[in-house]
Amino acid sequence: MNILRLQTADSTNTWLKENRGEIPPMTLVCAFDQSAGRGQRGNTWESEPGKNITCSFHFNPDDESGKPVRPAQQFVISEAVALAVVTTLRDFGIDACVKWPNDIYAGDKKICGILIENSIMGQSISCSIVGIGLNVNQDIFLSDAPNPVSMSMIAGHSFPLEDVERALGRNLELFIGRIGQYESLHPEYIRNLWRGGGRLFPYRDAASGRLFSASIEDVEPSGHLILKTEGETRRFAFKEVVFVL
Ligand code: BTN
């Protein structure tokens, strides 16, 4: 994967949206300083200049995997990106897993956030803009993000940012190349889930506020989480259920 390094960008996702015509697909656009990083649900994304990876790339699933991705199955893109990040962290000795739907956790803390913005044309995804914020060398976080952590905080030393960027680019290429092979990609995603492995954990139903204990049974191609509670399975969209820490 080619890497394009920008000194500054408000948000690499926004920058790519505006400049997509000039940037070849599968080019990792990294900003040294991202001044207005965007997170999920309208949140901001904190990143100290020069310390972390804040990057985005765009691609058309049909071109990269030879198969169109239907809107109802677009979660496969999240699965591939999450696995690429987990693999990259492991390449550098950091154990990580995927907190459904696509946060990356090291222990019980968030080390990476992913923001995917898809455009739909007809019956398929015509363009996916994938943004990744991976905390590498930042040791102090000032925002009210609940539980941030970085690679350096875990390892006790810093990492050469460009080495991590290159490894991430390689792994993204590998995993995006597999989005047409859902049958092998999906079990790998499930195996790497935080609080997976059929174990029981506490959850809160966001609508009723009710606490319940459940294990993860599966994640549907749409991204819905299937939880197994006593005697029944329940299906949740993002934000409908909260993991209780
Ligand atoms: C989250 O809220 O967990 C998603 C965070 C995504 C942050 C990355 S940093 C690079 C890219 N550009 C953005 O503005 N956001 C994403």
Side-chain angles (χ1 to χ4, degrees):
M1 204 173 201
N2 281 328
I3 297 182
L4 174 68
R5 293 196 169 85
L6 304 175
Q7 182 61 29
T8 59
D10 47 357
S11 146
T12 53
N13 269 38
T14 309
W15 188 92
L16 203 49
K17 224 175 266 177
E18 289 161 358
N19 296 279
R20 185 155 62 87
E22 285 99 75
I23 307 298
M26 299 301 287
T27 301
L28 199 61
V29 179
C30 301
F32 179 87
D33 182 3
Q34 181 174 249
S35 56
R38 294 191 286 118
Q40 294 153 12
R41 286 160 278 139
N43 290 328
T44 55
W45 182 255
E46 175 185 357
S47 182
E48 206 179 317
K51 295 279 178 151
N52 303 314
I53 296 179
T54 48
C55 66
S56 304
F57 66 97
H58 74 96
F59 72 104
N60 176 338
D62 204 353
D63 293 341
E64 296 310 320
S65 72
K67 260 195 203 172
V69 169
R70 306 284 171 217
Q73 287 147 7
Q74 58 188 291
F75 194 69
V76 69
I77 300 172
S78 293
E79 295 192 355
V81 174
L83 286 171
V85 175
V86 164
T87 304
T88 303
L89 285 163
R90 291 191 186 143
D91 288 347
F92 289 87
I94 306 283
D95 194 25
C97 48
V98 189
K99 177 174 177 274
W100 174 85
N102 61 3
D103 285 343
I104 308 302
Y105 265 41
D108 284 346
K109 296 190 169 184
K110 180 162 166 175
I111 194 164
C112 174
I114 296 168
L115 180 66
I116 300 181
E117 299 177 289
N118 289 329
S119 313
I120 298 169
M121 204 193 280
Q123 289 305 304
S124 56
I125 307 295
S126 54
C127 174
S128 184
I129 295 184
V130 177
I132 300 168
L134 174 58
N135 299 332
V136 181
N137 293 323
Q138 182 164 341
D139 288 325
I140 297 169
F141 289 85
L142 302 173
S143 77
D144 55 2
N147 48 359
V149 75
S150 66
M151 291 170 66
S152 62
M153 287 162 76
I154 292 167
H157 61 81
S158 62
F159 292 83
L161 208 52
E162 296 194 356
D163 290 357
V164 186
E165 276 167 5
R166 272 192 293 272
L168 179 62
R170 270 197 309 274
N171 287 316
L172 285 167
E173 206 141 33
L174 281 174
F175 280 95
I176 292 295
R178 289 178 55 195
I179 58 179
Q181 300 153 33
Y182 186 72
E183 307 67 33
S184 78
L185 193 72
H186 181 63
E188 201 167 327
Y189 173 82
I190 295 292
R191 271 201 307 279
N192 281 284
L193 279 177
W194 183 74
R195 295 194 167 179
R199 292 165 300 155
L200 286 169
F201 286 99
Y203 293 86
R204 181 181 304 111
D205 184 321
S208 67
R210 208 166 296 141
L211 284 171
F212 62 98
S213 173
S215 61
I216 296 176
E217 172 127 311
D218 202 0
V219 175
E220 293 183 346
S222 60
H224 286 83
L225 178 69
I226 308 297
L227 291 179
K228 195 164 141 196
T229 66
E230 278 165 24
E232 59 169 347
T233 55
R234 298 179 64 188
R235 180 176 184 267
F236 294 95
F238 185 37
K239 288 186 281 188
E240 288 178 353
V241 67
V242 179
F243 288 81
V244 178
L245 279 174

